[in-house]
Amino acid sequence: MTPASSVRRTLAERTYWPENIGRTGIFAGAGVIATLNALADQIVAFDGSLIIHILNLGGLSAVIWFALYAALKIGMEAGDEPLRKTDLPVLLAILASCFIPVTVAARGGVLLCACYFFATTRPDAPGRRVALVLLALTGTLVWGPLILTLLAAPILSLDAHITGWVIGSPVTANMVQFAGTDRIYIVAMACSSIHNISLAIVLWCTAVALFNLKVDRRLLLICAGMMSLMFALNIVRLSLMGLFPDQFEFLHAGAGGLLFGWLEVIAMAILAGFGVSNAVARPR
């Protein structure tokens, strides 16, 4: 006869699923659900080409999906620490934000989850690593859009002027003239380098949290390199749009834009992988 507890333990080991999901796992799940709700408008919005939408990972960067996976993985492996009395109202508020049919509410839910969990976990605990990932996601969900809203004119003008300098075309504010024509194109908020830079920060923080790395000067240089690389690649894409006006739609929202998005992710991943491998090899 096999005791029921042994069967339960064997099943848990076979499926790699913890017997008891603790406080960290619950908050990781809450943060992931709130993030998906915050990005629901991008996930459900597509132009009718389901294949392109799938290849585009539901309108979300692979970096975002990786961060969500990392948060859940760390959370599920963190043990079965019980919830605290103060956790319940916070979790209810996060859950409630997901039912409000405005994405800004769920963005606030992610911010609440990240800040509260960061403040209530020990620096050496797995929960602090989950909070780091969620805080990084707020850069894409909250702080990046807020910075763009408040400083859109100078930021977009900077992108436009650098692009104009690269292709040798005149620029007015955030409007760049196509090379060899009298037409112009506008560097809009969705094309700002802020988006790429925030994704670089998300990937770097996720790698640090997932591999439990010690942050030192060299690892910070990797982060700066990833941010600079994303800024440069965005300028390259904007410049190609200006140099080849007939291919504007292809590079902006078509297959070319999709391929360029994957190129950016691969370039970031290579640099992040280099940083992780070197950090792991260094003594702690």
Side-chain angles (χ1 to χ4, degrees):
M1 180 178 293
T2 304
S5 59
S6 300
V7 174
R8 182 183 173 195
R9 183 164 50 251
T10 302
L11 180 61
E13 292 171 353
R14 187 182 306 156
T15 58
Y16 302 99
W17 188 267
E19 291 186 61
N20 297 301
I21 300 175
R23 179 175 186 260
T24 299
I26 292 172
F27 271 94
V32 168
I33 292 172
T35 300
L36 291 174
N37 276 272
L39 297 169
D41 54 343
Q42 298 179 39
I43 296 173
V44 302
F46 62 100
D47 59 2
S49 177
L50 183 59
I51 294 177
I52 293 293
H53 193 60
I54 292 174
L55 291 175
N56 203 27
L57 300 181
L60 304 185
S61 170
V63 173
I64 301 295
W65 289 115
F66 178 60
L68 297 180
Y69 158 78
L72 287 175
K73 185 177 189 300
I74 298 169
M76 297 305 172
E77 295 175 352
D80 57 355
E81 178 188 358
L83 289 171
R84 306 171 186 177
K85 289 183 179 180
T86 55
D87 292 343
L88 295 178
V90 175
L91 287 169
L92 287 174
I94 296 168
L95 181 63
S97 73
C98 297
F99 285 93
I100 300 174
V102 181
T103 57
V104 68
R107 292 170 192 257
V110 179
L111 182 61
L112 172 62
C113 183
C115 291
Y116 173 81
F117 201 51
F118 187 88
T120 57
T121 52
R122 302 187 314 274
D124 59 341
R128 181 60 64 89
R129 292 155 56 201
V130 170
L132 176 64
V133 175
L134 295 178
L135 281 172
L137 285 168
T138 65
T140 296
L141 297 174
V142 180
W143 306 117
L146 181 61
I147 290 172
L148 271 177
T149 300
L150 297 176
L151 302 172
I155 291 174
L156 298 179
S157 179
L158 177 63
D159 284 331
H161 277 81
I162 295 176
T163 301
W165 175 77
V166 170
I167 66 177
S169 290
V171 176
T172 303
N174 62 328
M175 298 177 289
V176 184
Q177 185 173 311
F178 284 109
T181 73
D182 294 329
R183 294 181 294 147
I184 62 169
Y185 65 102
I186 298 173
V187 180
M189 293 178 68
C191 298
S192 169
S193 297
I194 290 290
H195 295 297
N196 289 22
I197 291 173
S198 66
L199 287 176
I201 295 173
V202 170
L203 181 58
W204 182 83
C205 289
T206 301
V208 168
L210 184 61
F211 296 99
N212 197 17
L213 302 178
K214 178 183 178 182
V215 177
D216 56 17
R217 184 175 61 86
R218 281 184 280 185
L219 203 54
L220 288 172
L221 287 175
I222 290 293
C223 181
M226 292 169 63
M227 293 166 63
S228 300
L229 177 63
M230 289 301 97
F231 179 82
L233 286 175
N234 192 58
I235 294 298
V236 169
R237 181 165 170 254
L238 292 173
S239 299
L240 290 174
M241 293 178 189
L243 288 172
F244 304 101
D246 292 340
Q247 302 299 322
F248 179 83
E249 287 301 326
F250 173 78
L251 292 166
H252 181 250
L258 176 62
L259 292 173
F260 217 93
W262 277 106
L263 173 64
E264 292 170 344
V265 170
I266 292 170
M268 270 196 298
I270 291 173
L271 189 52
F274 174 78
V276 168
S277 62
N278 278 271
V280 169
R282 292 195 294 272
R284 301 200 175 197

